Amino acid sequence: MGKKLKRRQPADAATTPPADTPTAGVRLKIGDRVTLENLKSQAYNGRVGKVVYLPKLSEDDGRYGILLDGKGEPIGIRKVNIRISEEAKGWKSTEQQLEERQKNLEASVESQENMSTDQL
């Protein structure tokens, strides 16, 4: 007798979490801070990390690459087991921090130029 083949879900069904999950309707992106939950491996539940790669379109299971704090290699996690981390509220990516610094620097230079003009 031949081996029974497992029926695979279409890619969109595997990557779309049920409507009641914390990431339903949320588009995760690289750099997002996340917390893992509802995993069979209890050791990872509650762990915090960041998204380092997005699922490949060719993969049926749609796993995100999550680099956990204190770990050297990312692990593949399905979206249904990911929620945006509570600690991420107010957290800014490096790019956002650089943009903010650039705006502050430009405002500072403009302020100094205005002061110099006023002194003339």
Side-chain angles (χ1 to χ4, degrees):
M1 267 324 240
K3 233 166 123 176
K4 274 192 177 181
L5 295 177
K6 236 185 192 182
R7 188 173 182 163
R8 301 189 118 201
Q9 291 182 326
D12 60 338
T15 58
T16 305
D20 61 345
T21 61
T23 53
V26 174
R27 187 174 201 145
L28 294 173
K29 57 191 176 306
I30 293 176
D32 281 349
R33 299 286 294 166
V34 296
T35 302
L36 306 185
E37 60 183 20
N38 301 320
L39 294 163
K40 289 179 186 174
S41 175
Q42 296 297 315
Y44 289 117
N45 286 329
R47 296 284 304 268
V48 176
K50 69 178 179 178
V51 177
V52 292
Y53 64 82
L54 304 176
K56 296 176 183 154
L57 294 176
S58 61
E59 291 181 3
D60 287 345
D61 63 356
R63 292 178 187 265
Y64 287 77
I66 307 298
L67 182 61
L68 296 175
D69 293 349
K71 286 279 195 184
E73 293 290 321
I75 57 174
I77 302 291
R78 291 180 304 144
K79 191 172 182 181
V80 296
N81 299 112
I82 299 171
R83 72 177 155 83
I84 300 296
S85 179
E86 289 298 316
E87 89 175 20
K89 292 184 179 174
W91 179 85
K92 295 179 182 174
S93 70
T94 304
E95 186 175 307
Q96 290 170 321
Q97 291 175 26
L98 290 173
E99 285 177 14
E100 191 173 286
R101 287 181 189 163
Q102 181 68 30
K103 286 178 186 175
N104 289 341
L105 181 61
E106 289 170 1
S108 177
V109 168
E110 186 177 316
S111 175
Q112 288 177 359
E113 286 174 350
N114 289 339
M115 287 174 54
S116 297
T117 305
D118 291 343
Q119 291 177 355
L120 292 177

